Amino acid sequence: MRSLLLIVLLSCWLAPLWAAQPDGVVVDEAYVRAVPPGQPNSAAFMVLENDGAVDRAVVAATSPVAEVVELHTHREEGGMMRMRRIERIALPAGERVRLAPGGLHLMLIGLRQPLLVDELVALELQLDDGSRIGLDVPVRALGGGMGHQGH
């Protein structure tokens, strides 16, 4: 009985620490787009799956290869697709959110180095609960999709 009480007390005390973890958020199919030499910006794409029971959101991202990483989307304005910065990427509980060319994506602005195909780029996502997800994302060759629309 004493052991059970200790377990219950410890779990209540540690619960805030567990809540700070990115519970249930899984990243898949992540890549950063290679760009021609001299191009100052690139983009990162991925699939984010929230297997948890609580809605989450990506609210920021960073990478040592860029001065700034911004959350972006494309919206139609006046019959043209335009890229716009957004404050968050919602990750509803139990759903998958695809960051893809022509839609939601992460912009790597002010590249500090060339992005070579097949090298890994460090990228960190910050969630709305303060937790962080560190990634090593491969660089893939430019081709099809978004191109430089609005960039």
Side-chain angles (χ1 to χ4, degrees), residues 13-147:
W13 181 70
L14 291 174
L17 297 177
W18 293 330
Q21 298 302 311
D23 183 36
V25 177
V26 177
V27 180
D28 195 21
E29 302 176 35
Y31 70 97
V32 171
R33 180 171 278 172
V35 293
Q39 175 68 25
N41 306 323
S42 185
F45 309 103
M46 64 197 69
V47 175
L48 300 165
E49 185 168 359
N50 182 356
D51 286 339
V54 177
D55 291 348
R56 293 265 67 95
V58 176
V59 296
T62 59
S63 176
V65 303
E67 292 176 20
V68 176
V69 179
E70 294 180 352
L71 313 178
H72 279 224
T73 192
H74 276 89
R75 293 190 182 130
E76 184 177 342
E77 294 178 3
M80 296 197 51
M81 292 301 288
R82 299 201 185 272
M83 182 180 66
R84 294 289 179 239
R85 182 177 184 192
I86 56 176
E87 296 298 317
R88 62 195 294 119
I89 296 173
L91 306 175
E95 292 188 26
R96 293 169 54 100
V97 176
R98 182 171 295 276
L99 280 59
L104 294 168
H105 60 282
L106 304 178
M107 279 300 300
L108 285 73
I109 299 171
L111 293 176
R112 295 181 169 135
Q113 66 189 55
L115 300 179
L116 305 175
V117 173
D118 294 330
E119 79 176 348
L120 295 178
V121 170
L123 188 63
E124 184 177 77
L125 307 178
Q126 181 179 339
L127 302 182
D128 57 348
D129 64 352
S131 61
R132 297 176 184 273
I133 301 173
L135 306 167
D136 288 318
V137 180
V139 176
R140 293 208 183 136
L142 183 67
M146 186 169 57

